Amino acid sequence: MLRDVANRLQQFLGFDPATFGYSWVVGAVVIGIAAVAAFVFIAIFAGPVTFWERRIAGRMMSRIGPNRVGPQGVLQWLADGIKCFLKEDLVPASADSGLFKFAPYLVFGGFMATFAVLPFGANLVAADLDVGLLYLLAITGLVVIGILMAGWASNNKWALFGGIRAAAQLVSYEIPSAFSLMSVVLAAGTMSMQGIIRQQGAWPWDWFVFRNPFLFAAFFLSLTASIAEGNRTPFDLPEGESELVAGYHVEYSGMRFLWFMFAEWGNLWVISSLATVCFLGGWQVPGVTPDEIAASTGLAFAGWQLASLFVFVAKASVLVAFVIQVRWTLPRLRVDQLMITCWKYLVPMALFCLAGVLVLLAAIDENGIADWALRGVSMAAGVFIAVAYIGKVRASYMADRDLYRRMEGKELWYPPYRLP
Amino acid sequence: MTDPIVSAMVFYALAAFTLVAAGFVALSGNIVHSAFALFATLFGVAGLYAYLSADLLAVVQMLVYVGGISVLVLFAVMLTSGLDGPLTSNPTFRLGGGIVLMLAVAAAAFVAATAVPSGVESAAVPTTAAIGDALLGAYVLPFEVVSVVLLAALVGAVTLARGYKGGHR
């Protein structure tokens, strides 16, 4: 992206910026703008998504959810944020105060660092590293260390148990996550995020998820493993309220607590956009190739950037909604079930997928009859799952509506965009 | 982008960070603090690799040492010292022996650094693809042999962890 910006700047200025004596200043400014943009994006994503999540949760639990602050409660997240700003920043007397104060920043920093390689559109990426995917897997190590630090420094049994559970869970689930993403790397032949997207197409049959049955399975394995790495509910043992009060952040209050929450909700975006990049064709706009986007100039270039941004955000948002719904559908696992799920099921299945992808890569010609047959089978499976899923959601909704009408004699407070 | 002064500034900042963290590992009285400082040291080394444009090496350093080894070290430290572990778990500090050891290591490092011609002055290019080709091309046999060694280590670890007592389980 930097090179792109430099080229366009060169055209605009009429001279090569590389001959400019302080070109590192330009570089630093561009990097600064990219960092601020990522930060602002996360601020305006993590806030409203809490509202989104709570409304979905309310729906699924037959209650209302936040509806007091602002029209339909859409400003609830602002009120929560301001409340946390104004709260006292408590440090327990027996805590290790230096580490206690530092831990939230480490967690948040490790989470923010993923945005260095996460693309948003055709040229909207801070750094398209050759090792992008590996970097993404590696940088989560910071989050593990931060959580362990928070758990230990709180000097509290529950916090320490939460921290140790989180570390065990993240280290374990990194393995199926890495293996299922490695099958994508094999299929794409590159670890660069933009490279992986370019190897796919805009239409569903060109996406990696529908390339063959093994990649189709790898999509679900990787999504499951990343939900576990994000400590979301079927896997939220590190903060299991009924056992550990709130786990590793039980002693935190005010703004330091908010950093953990930022990372937790922002992680929704990381999970969803990672799956979008690796399996769902990323930002590819139907009807135009990445090369054509790169070759376009002026207003057309800006337009394609916006279109690709829109496609990417739309795909990722669907996944965000799905991940939120999973959270409010499944009960929490026990510790032993958590480890069994990872080591006895996910790891062997991910290895099997990896081997399957390897065999298919060696045995099958791209765009041959067998290739298209495999794509057809995968797409049929995908359509079947999607239809069954939507049908199930609709059936539950209808059953709820009929029951409510029979019991109360009036209509339920659906449709979803309006509340009483 | 490669102003020599800025480049040098970045290098000294990274080196200072790594050295201060390493000093903290050695001198801290609290073993958990040492473990966290070790994590910072390894992270700084990853930064130095990235500075030298060894991008794959930097990321692997982060994946293996920061994400794996440090977490294991922290686990071990936390599980052994317990929740209210000793605040001064590193009370002895032998200055004389330490200085001798430091000089010996510095001498060895000096010999090692001067014996081999220090790397070619090459442009900063991404190395991932080249390393991948080398590992699965020219050096595929050593690569596979190393993975057999790792497999043996895994089997050994499982055997030890199960506490083999003759029968099954």
Side-chain angles (χ1 to χ4, degrees):
Chain A
M1 186 209 178
L2 286 181
R3 193 153 303 141
D4 255 47
V5 169
N7 284 339
R8 275 164 209 287
L9 201 66
Q10 188 180 343
Q11 285 167 10
F12 179 72
L13 294 174
F15 73 97
D16 184 1
T19 58
F20 180 51
Y22 297 94
S23 61
W24 61 272
V25 175
V26 179
V29 167
V30 171
I31 290 170
I33 290 173
V36 169
F39 200 81
V40 167
F41 173 80
I42 263 320
I44 59 174
F45 174 80
V49 85
T50 60
F51 166 73
W52 187 10
E53 166 144 16
R54 289 167 69 182
R55 281 293 279 270
I56 292 182
R59 261 303 160 79
M60 296 181 68
M61 296 170 165
S62 293
R63 55 186 177 81
I64 293 173
N67 70 340
R68 292 288 169 208
V69 190
Q72 301 289 325
V74 289
L75 298 179
Q76 181 66 47
W77 60 279
L78 267 180
D80 289 346
I82 292 169
K83 182 183 77 180
C84 275
F85 268 126
L86 299 180
K87 277 198 172 180
E88 187 186 352
D89 178 25
L90 277 175
V91 179
S94 62
D96 188 323
S97 78
L99 291 182
F100 183 85
K101 286 177 181 164
F102 183 61
Y105 302 111
L106 203 53
V107 171
F108 187 74
F111 150 74
M112 273 306 291
T114 58
F115 281 83
V117 294
L118 276 181
F120 286 91
N123 291 68
L124 305 174
V125 58
D128 184 20
L129 299 181
D130 263 6
V131 284
L133 196 55
L134 203 57
Y135 166 84
L136 202 85
L137 292 173
I139 203 73
T140 47
L142 286 188
V143 178
V144 183
I145 302 268
I147 288 176
L148 265 178
M149 193 184 273
W152 188 82
S154 298
N155 200 3
N156 172 319
K157 293 190 192 68
W158 291 305
L160 183 65
F161 271 122
I164 286 192
R165 274 186 185 186
Q169 177 176 333
L170 265 70
V171 169
S172 307
Y173 276 85
E174 230 169 53
I175 292 164
S177 168
F179 273 135
S180 44
L181 292 173
M182 280 309 137
S183 31
V184 171
V185 171
L186 284 177
T190 172
M191 285 193 288
S192 134
M193 304 294 258
Q194 298 287 59
I196 290 172
I197 293 174
R198 285 199 189 92
Q199 290 294 317
Q200 309 176 62
W203 300 105
W205 48 87
D206 287 327
W207 297 351
F208 275 145
V209 60
F210 298 132
R211 266 313 156 80
N212 61 50
F214 294 109
L215 281 172
F216 186 68
F219 168 68
F220 291 100
L221 293 174
S222 125
L223 197 60
T224 313
S226 17
I227 291 174
E229 282 188 87
N231 293 336
R232 287 190 66 83
T233 282
F235 308 102
D236 73 337
L237 292 105
E239 46 185 281
E241 291 86 349
S242 51
E243 304 155 32
L244 298 178
V245 193
Y248 55 88
H249 53 57
V250 64
E251 296 286 6
Y252 284 88
S253 65
M255 200 54 209
R256 288 186 207 286
F257 175 73
L258 216 56
W259 289 124
F260 285 113
M261 290 294 106
F262 250 127
E264 195 169 324
W265 262 281
N267 241 325
L268 260 178
W269 178 264
V270 176
I271 294 168
S272 313
S273 60
L274 181 62
T276 309
V277 166
C278 291
F279 292 98
L280 301 182
W283 40 258
Q284 296 251 24
V285 186
V288 58
T289 61
D291 292 336
E292 285 167 21
I293 294 182
S296 63
T297 48
L299 218 56
F301 181 77
W304 287 125
Q305 297 301 325
L306 274 182
S308 61
L309 176 68
F310 177 77
V311 167
F312 190 83
V313 170
K315 283 176 183 171
S317 303
V318 170
L319 275 181
V320 167
F322 173 72
V323 173
I324 289 176
Q325 208 207 338
V326 165
R327 169 169 183 181
W328 297 102
T329 307
L330 299 176
R332 182 184 302 136
L333 297 172
R334 285 198 319 261
V335 177
D336 58 328
Q337 291 169 332
L338 180 87
M339 287 298 154
I340 286 173
T341 310
C342 180
W343 293 104
K344 289 194 176 167
Y345 295 99
L346 291 184
V347 170
M349 286 197 290
L351 272 173
F352 181 70
C353 288
L354 191 70
V357 170
L358 267 177
V359 168
L360 287 184
L361 275 179
I364 286 186
D365 297 331
E366 198 168 342
N367 286 321
I369 296 172
D371 186 28
W372 281 99
L374 285 176
R375 291 188 194 193
V377 170
S378 316
M379 280 210 60
V383 168
F384 175 76
I385 288 180
V387 167
Y389 175 78
I390 293 170
K392 175 74 182 140
V393 170
R394 187 170 180 280
S396 313
Y397 167 73
M398 290 301 177
D400 266 7
R401 195 190 60 173
D402 293 347
L403 263 177
Y404 193 83
R405 191 189 284 147
R406 199 160 356 125
M407 279 161 43
E408 303 282 325
K410 57 186 178 189
E411 289 298 318
L412 202 51
W413 33 266
Y414 295 95
Y417 51 82
R418 203 169 51 79
L419 283 182
Chain B
M1 284 293 287
T2 47
D3 192 301
I5 297 170
V6 180
S7 179
M9 269 161 56
V10 171
F11 172 75
Y12 284 117
L14 280 172
F17 174 80
T18 312
L19 283 178
V20 168
F24 208 78
V25 175
L27 303 178
S28 168
N30 183 329
I31 192 162
V32 176
H33 288 182
S34 287
F36 279 120
L38 181 64
F39 144 74
T41 313
L42 296 170
F43 195 69
V45 172
L48 283 173
Y49 287 148
Y51 170 81
L52 295 169
S53 102
D55 52 354
L56 184 70
L57 198 56
V59 171
V60 169
Q61 162 90 7
M62 261 192 322
L63 195 65
V64 175
Y65 285 95
V66 178
I69 307 278
S70 311
V71 173
L72 281 182
V73 167
L74 280 168
F75 245 84
V77 166
M78 284 180 185
L79 289 178
T80 46
S81 67
L83 196 56
D84 42 20
L87 274 175
T88 49
S89 48
N90 190 10
T92 52
F93 184 65
R94 307 285 162 94
L95 194 62
I99 288 176
V100 169
L101 193 63
M102 191 187 81
L103 288 178
V105 171
F110 181 76
V111 170
T114 47
V116 187
S118 67
V120 279
E121 290 285 329
S122 64
V125 287
T127 54
T128 316
I131 290 178
D133 285 341
L135 276 184
L136 294 176
Y139 300 102
V140 68
L141 185 66
F143 181 68
E144 294 298 330
V145 170
V146 167
S147 50
V148 171
V149 171
L150 286 177
L151 184 67
L154 265 177
V155 172
V158 169
T159 312
L160 286 177
R162 270 180 57 194
Y164 189 69
K165 292 186 191 75
H168 277 295
R169 313 223 156 172

Coordinates of all heavy atoms in Angstrom, one line a residue, chain B residues 76-155:
Chain B
A76 N 5.0 -22.4 34.1 CA 5.9 -23.1 35.0 C 6.1 -22.3 36.3 O 6.0 -22.8 37.4 CB 7.2 -23.5 34.3
V77 N 6.5 -21.0 36.0 CA 6.8 -20.1 37.2 C 5.6 -20.0 38.1 O 5.7 -20.1 39.3 CB 7.3 -18.8 36.6 CG1 7.3 -17.8 37.8 CG2 8.7 -18.9 36.1
M78 N 4.5 -19.7 37.5 CA 3.3 -19.5 38.3 C 2.8 -20.7 39.0 O 2.4 -20.7 40.2 CB 2.1 -19.0 37.4 CG 2.3 -17.6 37.0 SD 0.9 -17.1 35.9 CE 1.4 -15.5 35.5
L79 N 3.0 -21.9 38.4 CA 2.5 -23.1 39.1 C 3.5 -23.5 40.1 O 3.1 -24.1 41.1 CB 2.4 -24.2 38.0 CG 1.2 -24.0 37.1 CD1 1.1 -25.2 36.1 CD2 -0.1 -24.0 37.9
T80 N 4.8 -23.2 40.0 CA 5.7 -23.6 41.0 C 5.7 -22.7 42.2 O 5.7 -23.1 43.3 CB 7.1 -23.8 40.5 OG1 7.4 -22.6 39.7 CG2 7.3 -25.0 39.6
S81 N 5.7 -21.4 41.9 CA 5.9 -20.5 43.1 C 4.5 -20.3 43.8 O 4.5 -19.7 44.9 CB 6.4 -19.1 42.6 OG 5.5 -18.5 41.8
G82 N 3.4 -20.7 43.2 CA 2.2 -20.6 43.9 C 1.6 -19.1 43.8 O 2.3 -18.2 43.2
L83 N 0.5 -18.9 44.4 CA -0.2 -17.7 44.2 C 0.5 -16.6 44.9 O 0.8 -15.5 44.4 CB -1.6 -17.8 44.7 CG -2.6 -16.7 44.3 CD1 -2.6 -16.6 42.8 CD2 -4.0 -16.9 44.9
D84 N 0.9 -16.8 46.2 CA 1.6 -15.8 47.0 C 3.1 -16.2 47.0 O 3.7 -16.3 48.1 CB 1.0 -15.6 48.4 CG 0.7 -17.0 49.0 OD1 1.3 -18.0 48.5 OD2 -0.1 -17.0 49.9
G85 N 3.7 -16.4 45.9 CA 5.1 -16.8 45.8 C 6.0 -15.8 46.4 O 5.6 -14.7 46.7
P86 N 7.2 -16.2 46.6 CA 8.2 -15.3 47.2 C 8.5 -14.1 46.4 O 8.6 -14.1 45.2 CB 9.5 -16.2 47.3 CG 9.3 -17.2 46.2 CD 7.8 -17.4 46.2
L87 N 8.4 -12.9 47.1 CA 8.6 -11.7 46.3 C 10.1 -11.5 46.0 O 10.4 -10.9 45.0 CB 8.1 -10.5 47.1 CG 6.7 -10.2 47.0 CD1 6.2 -9.1 47.9 CD2 6.3 -9.8 45.6
T88 N 11.0 -12.1 46.8 CA 12.4 -12.1 46.4 C 12.8 -13.5 46.2 O 13.3 -14.1 47.2 CB 13.2 -11.4 47.5 OG1 12.9 -12.0 48.7 CG2 13.0 -9.9 47.5
S89 N 12.6 -14.0 45.0 CA 12.9 -15.4 44.8 C 14.3 -15.5 44.2 O 14.8 -16.6 43.9 CB 11.9 -16.0 43.8 OG 11.8 -15.1 42.7
N90 N 15.0 -14.4 44.0 CA 16.3 -14.4 43.4 C 17.3 -13.6 44.3 O 17.8 -12.6 43.9 CB 16.2 -13.7 42.0 CG 17.5 -13.9 41.2 OD1 18.3 -14.7 41.6 ND2 17.5 -13.2 40.1
P91 N 17.5 -14.1 45.6 CA 18.2 -13.2 46.5 C 19.7 -13.2 46.3 O 20.3 -12.2 46.6 CB 17.9 -13.9 47.9 CG 17.6 -15.3 47.5 CD 17.1 -15.4 46.1
T92 N 20.3 -14.2 45.7 CA 21.7 -14.3 45.6 C 22.1 -13.6 44.3 O 21.5 -13.7 43.3 CB 22.3 -15.7 45.6 OG1 21.5 -16.4 44.6 CG2 22.1 -16.4 46.9
F93 N 23.2 -12.8 44.4 CA 23.6 -12.1 43.2 C 25.2 -12.1 43.2 O 25.8 -11.3 44.0 CB 23.0 -10.7 43.1 CG 23.4 -10.0 41.9 CD1 23.0 -10.4 40.6 CD2 24.2 -8.9 41.9 CE1 23.3 -9.8 39.5 CE2 24.6 -8.2 40.8 CZ 24.1 -8.6 39.5
R94 N 25.8 -13.0 42.5 CA 27.3 -13.1 42.6 C 27.9 -12.2 41.5 O 27.8 -12.5 40.3 CB 27.7 -14.6 42.3 CG 27.0 -15.6 43.2 CD 27.6 -15.5 44.6 NE 26.7 -16.1 45.6 CZ 26.8 -17.4 46.0 NH1 27.7 -18.2 45.5 NH2 26.0 -17.9 46.9
L95 N 28.5 -11.1 42.0 CA 29.0 -10.1 41.0 C 30.2 -10.7 40.3 O 30.2 -10.6 39.0 CB 29.3 -8.8 41.8 CG 29.6 -7.6 40.9 CD1 28.3 -7.3 40.1 CD2 30.1 -6.4 41.7
G96 N 31.2 -11.2 41.0 CA 32.4 -11.7 40.4 C 32.2 -12.7 39.3 O 32.6 -12.5 38.2
G97 N 31.5 -13.8 39.7 CA 31.2 -14.8 38.7 C 30.4 -14.3 37.5 O 30.7 -14.7 36.4
G98 N 29.5 -13.4 37.8 CA 28.7 -12.8 36.7 C 29.5 -12.1 35.7 O 29.4 -12.2 34.5
I99 N 30.5 -11.3 36.2 CA 31.3 -10.5 35.3 C 32.2 -11.4 34.5 O 32.3 -11.2 33.3 CB 32.2 -9.5 36.2 CG1 31.3 -8.4 36.7 CG2 33.3 -8.9 35.3 CD1 32.0 -7.4 37.6
V100 N 32.8 -12.4 35.1 CA 33.6 -13.4 34.4 C 32.8 -14.0 33.3 O 33.3 -14.1 32.1 CB 34.2 -14.5 35.4 CG1 34.9 -15.6 34.6 CG2 35.2 -13.8 36.3
L101 N 31.6 -14.5 33.6 CA 30.8 -15.1 32.6 C 30.4 -14.2 31.5 O 30.5 -14.5 30.3 CB 29.5 -15.6 33.3 CG 28.7 -16.6 32.5 CD1 29.5 -17.9 32.3 CD2 27.4 -16.9 33.2
M102 N 30.1 -12.9 31.9 CA 29.7 -11.9 30.8 C 30.9 -11.7 29.9 O 30.7 -11.7 28.7 CB 29.3 -10.6 31.5 CG 28.7 -9.7 30.5 SD 28.4 -8.1 31.3 CE 30.0 -7.3 31.1
L103 N 32.1 -11.6 30.5 CA 33.3 -11.3 29.6 C 33.5 -12.5 28.7 O 33.8 -12.4 27.5 CB 34.5 -11.1 30.5 CG 34.5 -9.7 31.2 CD1 35.8 -9.6 32.1 CD2 34.5 -8.6 30.2
A104 N 33.4 -13.8 29.2 CA 33.6 -15.0 28.4 C 32.6 -15.0 27.3 O 33.0 -15.2 26.1 CB 33.4 -16.2 29.3
V105 N 31.3 -14.7 27.5 CA 30.3 -14.7 26.5 C 30.6 -13.6 25.5 O 30.5 -13.8 24.2 CB 28.9 -14.5 27.1 CG1 27.9 -14.3 26.0 CG2 28.5 -15.7 27.9
A106 N 31.0 -12.4 26.0 CA 31.3 -11.3 25.0 C 32.5 -11.7 24.1 O 32.5 -11.5 22.9 CB 31.7 -10.1 25.8
A107 N 33.5 -12.4 24.7 CA 34.7 -12.8 23.9 C 34.2 -13.8 22.8 O 34.6 -13.7 21.7 CB 35.7 -13.4 24.8
A108 N 33.4 -14.8 23.3 CA 32.9 -15.8 22.3 C 32.1 -15.2 21.2 O 32.3 -15.5 20.0 CB 32.1 -16.8 23.0
A109 N 31.3 -14.2 21.6 CA 30.4 -13.5 20.6 C 31.3 -12.7 19.6 O 31.1 -12.7 18.4 CB 29.4 -12.6 21.2
F110 N 32.4 -12.1 20.1 CA 33.3 -11.3 19.3 C 34.0 -12.2 18.3 O 34.1 -11.9 17.1 CB 34.3 -10.6 20.2 CG 35.3 -9.8 19.4 CD1 34.9 -8.6 18.8 CD2 36.6 -10.2 19.1 CE1 35.8 -7.8 18.1 CE2 37.5 -9.4 18.4 CZ 37.0 -8.2 17.9
V111 N 34.5 -13.4 18.8 CA 35.2 -14.4 17.9 C 34.2 -14.8 16.8 O 34.5 -14.9 15.6 CB 35.7 -15.6 18.7 CG1 36.2 -16.7 17.8 CG2 36.8 -15.1 19.6
A112 N 33.0 -15.2 17.3 CA 32.0 -15.7 16.3 C 31.6 -14.6 15.2 O 31.5 -14.9 14.1 CB 30.7 -16.1 17.0
A113 N 31.6 -13.4 15.7 CA 31.1 -12.3 14.8 C 32.2 -12.0 13.8 O 32.0 -11.6 12.6 CB 30.7 -11.1 15.6
T114 N 33.5 -12.1 14.2 CA 34.6 -11.7 13.3 C 35.1 -12.8 12.4 O 35.7 -12.6 11.4 CB 35.8 -11.1 14.1 OG1 36.0 -12.0 15.2 CG2 35.5 -9.7 14.6
A115 N 34.9 -14.1 12.9 CA 35.4 -15.2 12.1 C 34.7 -15.4 10.8 O 35.3 -15.7 9.8 CB 35.2 -16.5 13.0
V116 N 33.3 -15.1 10.8 CA 32.6 -15.3 9.6 C 32.4 -13.9 9.0 O 32.2 -12.9 9.8 CB 31.2 -15.8 10.0 CG1 30.4 -16.1 8.7 CG2 31.3 -17.1 10.8
P117 N 32.6 -13.7 7.7 CA 32.4 -12.4 7.1 C 31.0 -12.0 7.4 O 30.0 -12.7 7.1 CB 32.7 -12.6 5.7 CG 32.7 -14.1 5.4 CD 33.1 -14.7 6.7
S118 N 30.8 -10.8 8.0 CA 29.5 -10.3 8.4 C 28.7 -10.1 7.1 O 29.2 -9.4 6.2 CB 29.6 -9.1 9.2 OG 30.0 -8.0 8.4
G119 N 27.5 -10.6 7.0 CA 26.6 -10.7 5.9 C 26.8 -9.7 4.7 O 27.4 -8.7 4.9
V120 N 26.3 -10.1 3.6 CA 26.5 -9.2 2.4 C 25.6 -8.0 2.6 O 24.5 -8.1 3.2 CB 26.1 -10.0 1.1 CG1 27.3 -10.8 0.7 CG2 24.9 -10.9 1.4
E121 N 26.0 -6.9 2.1 CA 25.2 -5.7 2.1 C 24.1 -5.8 1.0 O 24.4 -5.5 -0.1 CB 26.1 -4.5 1.9 CG 27.0 -4.2 3.0 CD 26.3 -3.6 4.2 OE1 25.3 -2.9 4.0 OE2 26.8 -3.8 5.3
S122 N 23.0 -6.4 1.4 CA 22.0 -6.5 0.3 C 20.8 -5.6 0.6 O 20.6 -5.1 1.7 CB 21.5 -8.0 0.3 OG 20.9 -8.3 1.5
A123 N 20.0 -5.4 -0.4 CA 18.8 -4.6 -0.2 C 17.8 -5.3 0.7 O 17.8 -6.6 0.8 CB 18.2 -4.3 -1.6
A124 N 17.0 -4.6 1.4 CA 16.0 -5.2 2.2 C 14.9 -5.8 1.4 O 14.0 -5.1 0.9 CB 15.4 -4.1 3.2
V125 N 14.9 -7.1 1.2 CA 13.8 -7.8 0.4 C 13.2 -8.8 1.3 O 13.8 -9.4 2.2 CB 14.4 -8.4 -0.8 CG1 14.8 -7.4 -1.9 CG2 15.6 -9.3 -0.5
P126 N 11.9 -9.1 1.1 CA 11.2 -10.1 1.8 C 11.8 -11.5 1.6 O 12.2 -11.8 0.4 CB 9.7 -10.1 1.3 CG 9.6 -8.7 0.7 CD 11.0 -8.3 0.2
T127 N 11.9 -12.3 2.6 CA 12.7 -13.5 2.5 C 11.8 -14.7 2.5 O 12.3 -15.8 2.2 CB 13.6 -13.7 3.7 OG1 12.9 -13.5 4.9 CG2 14.7 -12.6 3.7
T128 N 10.5 -14.6 2.7 CA 9.7 -15.7 3.0 C 9.7 -16.7 1.8 O 9.9 -17.9 2.0 CB 8.2 -15.3 3.2 OG1 8.2 -14.2 4.0 CG2 7.4 -16.4 3.8
A129 N 9.5 -16.2 0.6 CA 9.4 -17.2 -0.5 C 10.7 -17.9 -0.7 O 10.7 -19.1 -1.0 CB 9.0 -16.4 -1.8
A130 N 11.8 -17.1 -0.6 CA 13.1 -17.8 -0.8 C 13.4 -18.9 0.2 O 13.8 -20.0 -0.1 CB 14.2 -16.7 -0.7
I131 N 13.0 -18.6 1.5 CA 13.2 -19.6 2.5 C 12.3 -20.8 2.3 O 12.8 -22.0 2.4 CB 12.9 -19.0 3.9 CG1 14.0 -18.0 4.3 CG2 12.8 -20.1 5.0 CD1 13.8 -17.3 5.6
G132 N 11.1 -20.6 1.9 CA 10.2 -21.7 1.6 C 10.7 -22.6 0.4 O 10.8 -23.8 0.6
D133 N 11.2 -21.9 -0.6 CA 11.8 -22.7 -1.7 C 13.0 -23.5 -1.3 O 13.2 -24.7 -1.6 CB 12.2 -21.7 -2.9 CG 11.0 -21.2 -3.6 OD1 9.9 -21.9 -3.5 OD2 11.1 -20.2 -4.3
A134 N 13.9 -22.9 -0.5 CA 15.1 -23.6 0.0 C 14.7 -24.7 0.9 O 15.3 -25.8 0.7 CB 16.0 -22.6 0.8
L135 N 13.7 -24.5 1.8 CA 13.4 -25.6 2.7 C 12.8 -26.8 2.0 O 13.1 -28.0 2.3 CB 12.4 -25.1 3.8 CG 13.0 -24.4 5.0 CD1 11.9 -24.1 5.9 CD2 14.0 -25.3 5.6
L136 N 11.9 -26.6 1.0 CA 11.3 -27.7 0.3 C 12.0 -28.0 -1.0 O 11.5 -28.9 -1.7 CB 9.8 -27.3 0.1 CG 9.0 -27.2 1.4 CD1 7.6 -26.8 1.1 CD2 9.1 -28.5 2.2
G137 N 13.1 -27.4 -1.3 CA 13.8 -27.7 -2.5 C 15.2 -28.3 -2.2 O 15.3 -29.5 -1.9
A138 N 16.2 -27.4 -2.0 CA 17.5 -27.9 -1.8 C 17.7 -28.7 -0.5 O 18.5 -29.6 -0.4 CB 18.5 -26.8 -1.9
Y139 N 17.0 -28.2 0.5 CA 17.3 -28.7 1.9 C 16.1 -29.6 2.4 O 15.8 -29.6 3.6 CB 17.5 -27.6 2.9 CG 18.7 -26.8 2.5 CD1 18.6 -25.5 1.9 CD2 20.0 -27.2 2.7 CE1 19.6 -24.8 1.5 CE2 21.1 -26.5 2.3 CZ 20.9 -25.3 1.7 OH 22.0 -24.6 1.3
V140 N 15.4 -30.3 1.4 CA 14.2 -31.0 1.9 C 14.6 -32.2 2.8 O 13.8 -32.5 3.7 CB 13.4 -31.4 0.6 CG1 14.1 -32.5 -0.2 CG2 12.0 -31.9 1.1
L141 N 15.7 -32.8 2.5 CA 16.1 -34.0 3.3 C 16.4 -33.6 4.8 O 15.7 -34.1 5.7 CB 17.3 -34.7 2.7 CG 17.6 -36.0 3.5 CD1 16.5 -37.0 3.4 CD2 18.9 -36.6 3.0
P142 N 17.3 -32.6 5.0 CA 17.5 -32.1 6.4 C 16.2 -31.7 7.1 O 15.9 -32.0 8.3 CB 18.4 -30.9 6.3 CG 19.0 -31.1 5.0 CD 18.2 -31.9 4.1
F143 N 15.3 -31.0 6.3 CA 14.0 -30.5 6.8 C 13.2 -31.7 7.3 O 12.7 -31.7 8.5 CB 13.3 -29.8 5.7 CG 12.0 -29.2 6.1 CD1 11.9 -28.1 7.0 CD2 10.8 -29.7 5.5 CE1 10.7 -27.6 7.3 CE2 9.6 -29.1 5.8 CZ 9.5 -28.1 6.7
E144 N 13.1 -32.8 6.5 CA 12.3 -33.9 6.9 C 12.9 -34.6 8.1 O 12.2 -35.1 9.0 CB 12.1 -34.9 5.8 CG 11.3 -34.3 4.6 CD 9.9 -34.0 5.0 OE1 9.4 -34.7 5.9 OE2 9.3 -33.1 4.4
V145 N 14.3 -34.7 8.1 CA 15.0 -35.4 9.2 C 14.7 -34.6 10.6 O 14.4 -35.3 11.6 CB 16.5 -35.5 9.0 CG1 17.2 -35.9 10.2 CG2 16.7 -36.4 7.8
V146 N 14.7 -33.3 10.5 CA 14.4 -32.5 11.7 C 13.0 -32.8 12.2 O 12.7 -32.9 13.4 CB 14.6 -31.0 11.4 CG1 14.0 -30.2 12.5 CG2 16.0 -30.7 11.3
S147 N 12.0 -33.0 11.2 CA 10.7 -33.2 11.7 C 10.6 -34.6 12.3 O 9.8 -34.8 13.2 CB 9.7 -33.1 10.5 OG 10.1 -33.8 9.4
V148 N 11.4 -35.6 11.8 CA 11.4 -36.9 12.5 C 11.9 -36.8 13.9 O 11.4 -37.4 14.9 CB 12.3 -37.9 11.7 CG1 12.4 -39.2 12.5 CG2 11.6 -38.2 10.4
V149 N 13.0 -35.9 14.1 CA 13.5 -35.7 15.5 C 12.4 -35.1 16.4 O 12.2 -35.5 17.5 CB 14.7 -34.7 15.4 CG1 15.1 -34.3 16.8 CG2 15.9 -35.4 14.7
L150 N 11.6 -34.1 15.8 CA 10.6 -33.5 16.6 C 9.5 -34.6 16.9 O 8.9 -34.6 18.0 CB 9.9 -32.4 15.8 CG 10.8 -31.1 15.7 CD1 10.1 -30.1 14.9 CD2 11.0 -30.6 17.1
L151 N 9.2 -35.4 16.0 CA 8.2 -36.5 16.2 C 8.6 -37.4 17.3 O 7.9 -37.7 18.2 CB 8.0 -37.3 14.9 CG 6.9 -38.3 15.0 CD1 5.5 -37.7 15.2 CD2 6.9 -39.2 13.8
A152 N 9.9 -37.8 17.3 CA 10.5 -38.6 18.4 C 10.3 -37.9 19.7 O 9.9 -38.5 20.7 CB 11.9 -38.9 18.1
A153 N 10.6 -36.6 19.8 CA 10.5 -35.8 21.0 C 9.0 -35.8 21.5 O 8.8 -36.0 22.7 CB 11.0 -34.4 20.8
L154 N 8.1 -35.7 20.5 CA 6.7 -35.7 20.9 C 6.3 -37.0 21.5 O 5.6 -37.1 22.6 CB 5.8 -35.5 19.7 CG 5.4 -34.0 19.3 CD1 4.6 -34.0 18.0 CD2 4.5 -33.6 20.5
V155 N 6.7 -38.1 20.9 CA 6.4 -39.4 21.4 C 7.0 -39.6 22.8 O 6.3 -40.1 23.7 CB 6.9 -40.5 20.4 CG1 6.7 -41.9 21.0 CG2 6.1 -40.4 19.1

